[in-house]
C-alpha cells in the first residue's frame, strides 16, 4: 500500500467556484491571508451544526465556524452531542427542528442518512471545491450511488503509536517495526518498571482500531474490504487469527496500564494524558491511536517531537497497515447558508484554520502544509496527501451504526468483552457475527 510506505517514510524521523445560495454579491475572506474560495453574503441567516467534538476539538472547530461567520455574515450555532449521531438527528427531525449540517463519523451513517432521505445533495460550490482539492477516493467516500452528499473535512491516520521518549530511553528500546518487536519492546519496558501500553478501553472505538490494524496487515486489503461489507462472516478463520494476535497483548495484564479492568475504565483522552504525565515514570510508556492524539498531548507539558514521538503501527503481516478515518459534513436542510458552509469546509481556507490548532489532519491537497503546528503533524499530513486514492477507511465506520458505531452495542461491546476475557476468541466471533447479521438485516 502506498500510504503505508509514505507514512513510514514521513515518520522515519519522526480558488474555486462560489457557494450556492442567495445570489448576493460574494465576499472574499477577512481572515489572515488571501481567501481561495468565494462565499455569498448571508447576513441574518442562521444555521446549526452538530458534531461529537468537545473540549479542545470543539474550540478548534468553533474557530473554523467563526471564520465562516466573518466571511458571510451568517450566524452559526454549534451543538455537541455524545448520542449516536443518527439517533440524535432522527429525534430532531421528528421534532421538526433538524440541524442544518451534521458531521458524521461513519460512512455507514452517511448511507443511512441518504436512505432515510435526511441528507441533501451537495451544491455546485461544494462539488467544485471537492473536484479541485480532493483525491477521488475522498470524494467517493462522500458520495452515494454517484450523487455527492458529503465533504470529508477532518481526516485521521489511525495507524500510529505515540510514545514517551524518556521511557524508551530508560528502557534502552527503539521504535519497533513488527508486531513481534512491539510485544518484545513492551516486555522490556515492563521490566524497566513502567507499564508499557495505555489502552482507552472505556471507548469501544479504540478497540475496533486495534483489531482493524492487525486484521488489515495480517489478512490483507481484499479480505479487509470483504469483512467491511460483511461478505465474509466474523466466524471466518482470518478473524480468529487477528483476535489471537491481539490477545498476545490483551492477554498479558502486566503490559496494560491498570490491567484489563483499568483499561475498561479509561477513556481515550485519559489514555493519552497518563502516557505523557509524570516525566519518565508515567502510568504507561506508549499509547496507540491516530494523529488526533496530539491535541491531547497538548494538554500535558510534553512537547511533540521531543518528549512525545510517534511511529507507524508495526507490521503484523507482509506490510504495515494504514487505516484512515474521518468526519464528513452533510447538509440536512436546503438553506443557502447550509450549502455555503459545505463549500467553505471543502476549501483549503477552512482546513488551515483547524490545522493551525493541532489535532487535525486534512485530506484537502490544496491546503499549505505550513499550516500544521509542528513537523510531526506536517509529515503525517503530507503522507496522507501523497497516498492519493490508496488507503483503507476505518472498517467499523463503514458498517451500520448499530454494529460499528454505538456505545455498548455490536463491535464496540464485543471487543470490550474480549479485552476483559481475551481467551474467549470463539465466543467473541460468535457474538460479532450474530450482531453483524442483525445490523445488516435492519441497516439500523
Amino acid at each position: 500500500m502506498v500510504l503505508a510506505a509514505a507514512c513510514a517514510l514521513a515518520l522515519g524521523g519522526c480558488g474555486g467556484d462560489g457557494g450556492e445560495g442567495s445570489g448576493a454579491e460574494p465576499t472574499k475572506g477577512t481572515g489572515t491571508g488571501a481567501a481561495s474560495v468565494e462565499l455569498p453574503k448571508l447576513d441574518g441567516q442562521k444555521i446549526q451544526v452538530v458534531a461529537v467534538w468537545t473540549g479542545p476539538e470543539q474550540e478548534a472547530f468553533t474557530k473554523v465556524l467563526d471564520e465562516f461567520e466573518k466571511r458571510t455574515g451568517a450566524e452559526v450555532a454549534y451543538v455537541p452531542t455524545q448520542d449516536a449521531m443518527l439517533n440524535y438527528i432522527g429525534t430532531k427531525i421528528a421534532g421538526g427542528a433538524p440541524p442544518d449540517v451534521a458531521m458524521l463519523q461513519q460512512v455507514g451513517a452517511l448511507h443511512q442518512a441518504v436512505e432515510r432521505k435526511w441528507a441533501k445533495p451537495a451544491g455546485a460550490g461544494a462539488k467544485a471545491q471537492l473536484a479541485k482539492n480532493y483525491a477521488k477516493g475522498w470524494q467517493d467516500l462522500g458520495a452515494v450511488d454517484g450523487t455527492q452528499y458529503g465533504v470529508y473535512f477532518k481526516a485521521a491516520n489511525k495507524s500510529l503509536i505515540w510514545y514517551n521518549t524518556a521511557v524508551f530511553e530508560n528502557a534502552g528500546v527503539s521504535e519497533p517495526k513488527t508486531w513481534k518487536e512491539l510485544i518484545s519492546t513492551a516486555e522490556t519496558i515492563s521490566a524497566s518498571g513502567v507499564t508499557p501500553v495505555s489502552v482507552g478501553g472505556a471507548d469501544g472505538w479504540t478497540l475496533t482500531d486495534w483489531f482493524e490494524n492487525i486484521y488489515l496487515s495480517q489478512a490483507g486489503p481484499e479480505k479487509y474490504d470483504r469483512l467491511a461489507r460483511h461478505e465474509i462472516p466474523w466466524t471466518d478463520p482470518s478473524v480468529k487469527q487477528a483476535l489471537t494476535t491481539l490477545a498476545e497483548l490483551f492477554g498479558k495484564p502486566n503490559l496494560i496500564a491498570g490491567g484489563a479492568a483499568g483499561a475498561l475504565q479509561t477513556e481515550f483522552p485519559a489514555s493519552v494524558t497518563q502516557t505523557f504525565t509524570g516525566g519518565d515514570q508515567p502510568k504507561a510508556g506508549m499509547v496507540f491511536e491516530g494523529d488526533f492524539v496530539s491535541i491531547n498531548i497538548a494538554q500535558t507539558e510534553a512537547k511533540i517531537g521531543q518528549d512525545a514521538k510517534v511511529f507507524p503501527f508495526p507490521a503484523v503481516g507482509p506490510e504495515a497497515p494504514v487505516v484512515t478515518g474521518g468526519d464528513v459534513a452533510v447538509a440536512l436542510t436546503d438553506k443557502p447558508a447550509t450549502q455555503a458552509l459545505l463549500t467553505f469546509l471543502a476549501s483549503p481556507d477552512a482546513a488551515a484554520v483547524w490545522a493551525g490548532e493541532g489535532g487535525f489532519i486534512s485530506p484537502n491537497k490544496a491546503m499549505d502544509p505550513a499550516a500544521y503546528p509542528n513537523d510531526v503533524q506536517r509529515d503525517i499530513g503530507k503522507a496522507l496527501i501523497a497516498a492519493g486514492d490508496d488507503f483503507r477507511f476505518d472498517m467499523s465506520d463503514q458498517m451500520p451504526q448499530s454494529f460499528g458505531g454505538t456505545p455498548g452495542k455490536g463491535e464496540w461491546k464485543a471487543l470490550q468483552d474480549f479485552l476483559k476475557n481475551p481467551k474467549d476468541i470463539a465466543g467473541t466471533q460468535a457474538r460479532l457475527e450474530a450482531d453483524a447479521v442483525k445490523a445488516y438485516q435492519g441497516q439500523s
Side-chain angles (χ1 to χ4, degrees):
M1 288 177 284
V2 174
L3 186 51
C7 229
L9 178 64
L11 299 176
C14 65
D17 292 345
E20 281 193 331
S22 61
E25 180 185 356
T27 179
K28 291 200 173 184
T30 56
T32 57
S36 65
V37 59
E38 293 186 354
L39 300 169
K41 284 284 190 181
L42 300 164
D43 294 326
Q45 290 201 31
K46 298 180 179 181
I47 58 172
Q48 185 184 85
V49 179
V50 61
V52 299
W53 298 316
T54 59
E57 289 185 309
Q58 177 176 338
E59 293 173 12
F61 186 53
T62 298
K63 291 183 179 180
V64 176
L65 299 179
D66 288 346
E67 181 66 19
F68 175 76
E69 289 181 328
K70 284 195 291 184
R71 296 190 183 197
T72 64
E75 295 181 30
V76 185
Y78 173 72
V79 177
T81 179
Q82 295 306 302
D83 294 337
M85 188 62 76
L86 290 183
N87 298 346
Y88 177 89
I89 294 170
T91 299
K92 293 299 181 181
I93 289 176
D100 298 286
V101 175
M103 306 298 296
L104 304 178
Q105 294 180 294
Q106 288 92 23
V107 178
L110 170 61
H111 283 251
Q112 288 171 270
V114 172
E115 289 165 6
R116 296 174 188 183
K117 303 189 185 306
W118 294 349
K120 308 296 183 184
K127 289 192 288 186
Q129 287 292 311
L130 286 168
K132 180 179 178 181
N133 303 328
Y134 283 71
K136 186 176 183 297
W138 287 102
Q139 295 180 56
D140 290 346
L141 280 170
V144 178
D145 296 331
T147 298
Q148 194 73 42
Y149 287 92
V151 171
Y152 270 90
F153 174 62
K154 185 177 188 288
N157 177 337
K158 304 183 85 171
S159 299
L160 303 172
I161 295 181
W162 300 77
Y163 66 96
N164 185 312
T165 56
V167 170
F168 268 52
E169 289 169 4
N170 290 345
V173 296
S174 55
E175 299 176 357
K177 291 181 172 55
T178 67
W179 179 260
K180 184 177 179 180
E181 289 176 4
L182 176 67
I183 299 300
S184 175
T185 297
E187 296 279 12
T188 302
I189 292 172
S190 178
S192 76
V194 176
T195 307
V197 182
S198 180
V199 177
D203 292 316
W205 59 268
T206 67
L207 306 182
T208 70
D209 290 346
W210 274 105
F211 172 81
E212 289 161 6
N213 277 275
I214 290 173
Y215 191 85
L216 177 57
S217 182
Q218 199 168 55
E222 182 182 349
K223 279 209 165 182
Y224 182 95
D225 292 343
R226 293 184 66 201
L227 184 61
R229 295 189 292 265
H230 201 217
E231 292 174 356
I232 57 176
W234 285 85
T235 50
D236 190 82
S238 62
V239 177
K240 177 181 179 180
Q241 185 181 22
L243 290 173
T244 301
T245 299
L246 186 53
E248 293 175 6
L249 174 63
F250 285 4
K252 296 179 180 177
N254 64 303
L255 300 185
I256 298 175
L264 286 167
Q265 295 176 12
T266 303
E267 296 180 340
F268 164 68
S271 74
V272 178
T273 55
Q274 71 181 13
T275 305
F276 299 101
T277 302
D280 61 356
Q281 290 294 315
K283 291 185 178 179
M286 54 182 151
V287 60
F288 155 71
E289 256 313 332
D291 53 89
F292 45 84
V293 162
S294 62
I295 205 165
N296 301 98
I297 295 176
Q299 306 306 303
T300 72
E301 295 183 357
K303 290 182 170 50
I304 295 175
Q306 181 177 324
D307 308 306
K309 292 186 178 180
V310 62
F311 58 88
F313 195 98
V316 185
E319 289 191 75
V322 173
V323 176
T324 65
D327 298 270
V328 59
V330 180
L332 302 178
T333 68
D334 287 320
K335 295 177 184 177
T338 298
Q339 287 295 345
L341 180 58
L342 253 61
T343 299
F344 182 59
L345 293 177
S347 76
D349 301 7
V353 174
W354 192 337
E357 299 297 313
F360 174 91
I361 297 296
S362 175
N364 193 313
K365 61 187 179 183
M367 192 198 79
D368 187 349
Y372 292 115
N374 56 62
D375 289 340
V376 171
Q377 288 175 266
R378 191 170 298 116
D379 287 345
I380 295 170
K382 286 179 178 178
L384 182 70
I385 298 303
D389 296 329
D390 190 8
F391 59 86
R392 284 299 185 279
F393 201 81
D394 185 299
M395 185 190 295
S396 63
D397 288 349
Q398 299 181 56
M399 298 169 173
Q401 180 179 278
S402 64
F403 179 71
T406 302
K409 294 183 65 177
E411 190 181 5
W412 290 22
K413 179 63 164 62
L415 290 180
Q416 287 175 322
D417 290 344
F418 177 70
L419 174 58
K420 190 184 304 181
N421 183 16
K423 292 181 180 179
D424 187 21
I425 292 173
T428 300
Q429 287 185 269
R431 285 188 290 275
L432 284 164
E433 177 60 13
D435 288 344
V437 168
K438 182 178 178 181
Y440 277 87
Q441 285 176 344
Q443 288 292 307
S444 59

